[in-house]
Structures are given as C-alpha cells and as structure tokens.
Amino acid sequence: MEGFDPAINYGPNDAGISAITIILGIVGLFVISWLFGKIYAQVSNFFESNNKNDS
C-alpha cells in the first residue's frame, strides 16, 4: 500500500481557490486602497477648509 501524497491527490482548485478568486482579490485590494485615499482626501480637505474659516 502506497502512502498518501497530497501533492498528487490535491490541486490548487481543491481548496476553493481559482483564478477568478485571485483576480477579484487583487482588484479588491486596489479598490479598497483607492477608496481609502479618496476618503482621506475628503477628510483632509474638510479640516483644511474648517481651519481657514476659523482664521
């Protein structure tokens, strides 16, 4: 009887990971980082305009 070799019996798709999942994950990271930058810019502009009004 031969031993169990996971490299032969399982492939990358057996864990539920597919090319579309990887692509969506990478695109999701870009979108989240872009959104964070936009939100940060809006908050920064708000505080800068608030400081100008106080002066």
Side-chain angles (χ1 to χ4, degrees):
M1 183 171 169
E2 294 181 21
F4 181 75
D5 187 2
I8 294 173
N9 295 312
Y10 291 114
N13 291 331
D14 292 329
I17 303 296
S18 62
I20 189 71
T21 306
I22 295 169
I23 291 169
L24 288 175
I26 293 170
V27 169
L29 286 175
F30 282 121
V31 169
I32 289 170
S33 63
W34 178 78
L35 281 174
F36 181 78
K38 294 295 276 186
I39 292 169
Y40 181 82
Q42 291 297 322
V43 170
S44 177
N45 288 337
F46 173 75
F47 284 120
E48 283 181 11
S49 66
N50 199 8
N51 284 341
K52 289 179 183 177
N53 290 339
D54 290 343
S55 297

